[in-house]
């Protein structure tokens, strides 16, 4: 775990233009699915993040060589087919490692993948992943903290992936990636409609898979005998783009985020509009002018196309400064409110009852030392720090580096006073140390 902190001198309105990076949550399952390819694969716009480093290590252990090209693409090629175990040490660092289960099972007939374990944002079960793969004919047992799965050849099936809180994103990725090599046809109902799943599906189609219904909750897959290789670029990161726009909104700034897909953050843009932001929306960019003081919001998170749970913390940060009382209802991960207590250290007033938070807006926040508890919580604290009076120190910034490519540099480019430094040391410019551990 790196021990960097961010020191933020708040109170400056952000201005300027930055571009969105490639999507973390699209890139990770796509990289895992490269296990399925019989030919080399080149993936473009993979963000440089510590989570990607973990996936690269895992793939290398699984016999998939991977290297960055001079022009910034990631080239992957299966060089050995016998490794089938994803170790606890790696899966513990990043839950998305569990996405290798479906591809390993489909391509190598066997997988031994550590259960991901606990998580800072609440319970994260994998029962739907396992039930889906079992319906494709896999024999699955859990032994000493590992999922042991095997099947000589998976068989197409009708599988319902809907759970108590809606669809499962990485569960859909796992079952879809397995079904593309299954014998016969598979119908997945209750599938996730997130753009990241559409992107994974398009990557699989580029490899030769036959999939219909992407972007809807019913996917129809005709299994094929083998998949080839391809060059593929991942979509822009909608969560990063939304975070940068909220940074403009919370500092009453004027920010343009380019190379993004506005249609993927439609509901977030609606919320920012309700908060009083002026928005200019073009095909691949959004310019936002923040209000002097935001209006309060009623936020309900949910599966796509609703407001993503991954933007809940950032929007809550905005609500702490609203001219009135906001409500934030978290329906995906009902316990994902750890940022509320840290925001309170900056002067925010948040009351929480089960999955509902009531945020009483204040005219100002005041700088303090706060601690990031998870990836999106760390983003919310950085945003609040940008808006607060005086200096805010955000500790455990390794969480931020897991999912945001050079966020401190992007905020500095927008005139934010953000410095990365070692804890207990004066602010100095430090290069990103992206090697970190966490558990999402
Ligand atoms: C993905 O996690 C994302 N991670 C998360 O992003 C995101 O918050 C989440 O989807 C929701 O959008 C990646 O894409 C790598 P789920 P995932 O399975 O797939 C329940 C971030 O900040 N459920 O869609 O693990 C579950 O408890 C991260 O970038 C079951 O009940 O989430 C939750 O209530 C954090 N059984 C709901 O479904 C299962 O087997 C949605 O979870 C699986 C999930």
């Amino acid at each position: 775990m790196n021990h960097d902190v961010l020191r933020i001198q708040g109170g400056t309105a952000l201005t300027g233009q930055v571009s969105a990076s490639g999507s973390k949550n699209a890139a990770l399952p796509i990289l895992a699915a490269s296990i399925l390819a019989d030919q080399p694969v080149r993936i473009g716009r993979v963000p440089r993040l510590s989570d990607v480093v973990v996936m690269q290590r895992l793939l290398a252990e699984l016999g998939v060589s991977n290297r960055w090209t001079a022009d910034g693409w990631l080239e992957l090629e299966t060089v050995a087919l016998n490794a089938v175990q994803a170790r606890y040490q790696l899966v513990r660092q990043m839950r998305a490692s569990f996405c290798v289960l479906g591809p390993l099972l489909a391509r190598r007939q066997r997988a031994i993948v550590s259960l991901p374990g606990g998580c800072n944002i609440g319970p994260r079960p994998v029962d739907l992943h396992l039930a889906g793969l079992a319906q494709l004919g896999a024999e699955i047992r859990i032994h000493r903290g590992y999922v042991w799965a095997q099947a000589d050849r998976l068989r197409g099936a009708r599988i319902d992936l809907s759970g108590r809180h809606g669809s499962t994103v990485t569960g859909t990725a796992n079952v879809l990636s397995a079904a593309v090599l299954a014998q016969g046809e598979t119908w997945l109902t209750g599938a996730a409609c997130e753009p990241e799943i559409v992107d994974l599906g398009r990557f699989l189609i580029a490899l030769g898979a036959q999939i219909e219904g992407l972007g809807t909750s019913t996917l129809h897959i005709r299994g094929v005998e083998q998949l080839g290789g391809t060059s593929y670029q991942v979509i822009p990161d909608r969560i990063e783009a939304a975070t940068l726009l909220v940074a403009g909104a919370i500092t009453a700034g004027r920010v343009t985020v380019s190379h993004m897909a506005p249609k993927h953050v439609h509901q977030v843009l609606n919320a920012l509009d309700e908060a009083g932001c002026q928005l200019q929306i073009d095909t691949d960019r959004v310019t936002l002018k923040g209000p002097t003081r935001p209006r309060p919001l009623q936020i309900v998170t949910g599966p796509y196309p609703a407001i993503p749970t991954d933007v809940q913390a950032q929007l809550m940060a905005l609500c702490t400064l609203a001219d009135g009382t906001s409500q934030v209802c978290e329906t995906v991960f009902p316990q994902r409110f750890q940022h509320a207590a840290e925001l309170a250290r900056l002067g925010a007033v948040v009351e929480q009852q089960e999955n509902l938070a009531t945020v009483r807006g204040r005219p100002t926040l005041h700088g303090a030392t706060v601690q990031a508890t998870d990836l999106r919580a760390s983003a919310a604290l950085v945003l609040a720090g940008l808006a607060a009076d005086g200096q805010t120190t955000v500790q455990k910034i390794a969480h931020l580096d897991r999912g945001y490519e050079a966020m401190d540099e992007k905020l500095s480019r927008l005139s934010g006073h953000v410095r990365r430094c070692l804890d207990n040391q004066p602010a100095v410019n430090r290069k990103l140390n992206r090697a970190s551990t966490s558990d999402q």
Side-chain angles (χ1 to χ4, degrees), residues 44-83:
R45 216 175 176 185
V46 176
R48 304 278 189 131
L49 307 167
S50 60
D51 272 9
V52 168
V53 173
V54 174
M55 182 58 84
Q56 285 180 272
R57 273 188 208 141
L58 176 59
L59 289 172
E61 288 193 8
L62 292 171
V64 180
S65 73
N66 55 85
R67 64 169 196 97
W68 293 100
T69 63
D71 55 350
W73 287 61
L74 198 53
E75 276 183 354
L76 304 108
E77 182 174 9
T78 295
V79 290
L81 280 166
N82 49 348

Side-chain angles (χ1 to χ4, degrees), residues 137-174:
E139 218 177 278
I140 293 182
R141 68 192 169 95
I142 297 190
H143 182 59
R144 292 181 186 267
Y146 279 80
V147 175
W148 294 62
Q150 65 174 51
D152 286 341
R153 176 87 198 260
L154 297 170
R155 289 184 314 273
R158 287 179 182 271
I159 300 169
D160 182 22
L161 279 177
S162 28
R164 212 157 49 92
H165 296 285
S167 53
T168 162
V169 177
T170 50
T172 303
N174 250 331

Side-chain angles (χ1 to χ4, degrees), residues 58-395:
L58 176 59
L59 289 172
E61 288 193 8
L62 292 171
V64 180
S65 73
N66 55 85
R67 64 169 196 97
W68 293 100
T69 63
D71 55 350
W73 287 61
L74 198 53
E75 276 183 354
L76 304 108
E77 182 174 9
T78 295
V79 290
L81 280 166
N82 49 348
V84 292
Q85 180 164 351
R87 291 184 295 128
Y88 175 63
Q89 278 310 84
L90 289 175
V91 181
R92 175 182 76 84
Q93 289 178 39
M94 180 187 69
R95 296 182 59 88
S97 308
F98 201 69
C99 289
V100 299
L101 176 61
L104 281 177
L105 183 60
R107 182 66 185 87
R108 304 185 186 180
Q109 290 77 49
R110 233 158 62 85
I112 305 168
V113 179
S114 169
L115 282 166
C119 177
N120 288 349
I121 64 175
R124 306 274 298 273
V126 290
D127 55 312
L128 296 167
H129 303 228
L130 301 185
L133 295 172
Q135 280 168 276
L136 289 175
E139 218 177 278
I140 293 182
R141 68 192 169 95
I142 297 190
H143 182 59
R144 292 181 186 267
Y146 279 80
V147 175
W148 294 62
Q150 65 174 51
D152 286 341
R153 176 87 198 260
L154 297 170
R155 289 184 314 273
R158 287 179 182 271
I159 300 169
D160 182 22
L161 279 177
S162 28
R164 212 157 49 92
H165 296 285
S167 53
T168 162
V169 177
T170 50
T172 303
N174 250 331
V175 179
L176 172 63
S177 302
V180 291
L181 283 182
Q183 195 167 30
E185 299 182 32
T186 297
W187 277 266
L188 289 185
T189 52
C193 305
E194 269 66 7
E196 293 77 13
I197 292 296
V198 175
D199 209 33
L200 169 66
R202 289 193 178 139
F203 167 69
L204 293 169
I205 290 170
L207 291 179
Q210 295 189 15
I211 305 167
E212 284 164 14
L214 287 170
T216 74
S217 59
T218 302
L219 301 179
H220 179 206
I221 302 132
R222 288 190 184 82
V224 296
E225 290 296 319
Q226 64 180 56
L227 296 169
T230 192
S231 278
Y232 190 84
Q233 266 201 306
V234 300
I235 52 170
D237 195 314
R238 64 190 169 114
I239 307 299
E240 186 212 23
T243 303
L244 290 164
L245 289 171
V246 178
I250 201 170
T251 60
R254 186 187 166 87
V255 164
T256 299
V257 180
S258 62
H259 300 88
M260 63 173 287
K263 61 180 184 219
H264 291 164
V265 284
H266 185 67
Q267 296 294 2
V268 176
L269 296 177
N270 278 350
L272 290 170
D273 179 51
E274 274 168 39
C277 300
Q278 289 172 29
L279 296 162
Q280 189 189 322
I281 303 169
D282 298 313
T283 328
D284 69 343
R285 66 178 53 214
V286 174
T287 298
L288 172 145
K289 185 171 177 313
T292 318
R293 191 157 177 208
R295 289 197 288 263
L297 293 172
Q298 303 293 317
I299 294 163
V300 182
T301 66
Y304 190 79
I307 290 184
T309 170
D310 293 347
V311 190
Q312 180 255 108
Q314 300 88 313
L315 287 173
M316 182 187 284
L318 181 66
C319 292
T320 64
L321 285 166
D323 188 8
T325 299
S326 304
Q327 291 206 306
V328 180
C329 179
E330 172 57 66
T331 74
V332 181
F333 295 116
Q335 296 173 31
R336 194 178 198 174
F337 282 125
Q338 288 205 46
H339 42 280
E342 294 300 306
L343 287 170
R345 292 182 51 74
L346 300 174
V349 182
V350 185
E351 291 149 26
Q352 189 201 329
Q353 228 179 7
E354 297 179 349
N355 70 333
L356 187 68
T358 304
V359 187
R360 297 189 200 288
R362 304 283 305 267
T364 45
L365 297 174
H366 304 290
T369 297
V370 290
Q371 201 165 90
T373 50
D374 64 78
L375 167 57
R376 307 306 170 186
S378 62
L381 294 172
V382 170
L383 299 184
L386 286 166
D389 286 345
Q391 181 172 284
T392 294
T393 301
V394 185
Q395 296 176 329

Side-chain angles (χ1 to χ4, degrees), residues 1-4 372 396-399 402 433 435-439:
M1 168 85 81
N2 80 50
H3 296 285
D4 288 358
K396 298 211 172 165
I397 211 66
H399 287 294
R402 292 190 42 233
N433 172 3
S436 68
T437 58
S438 191
D439 59 2

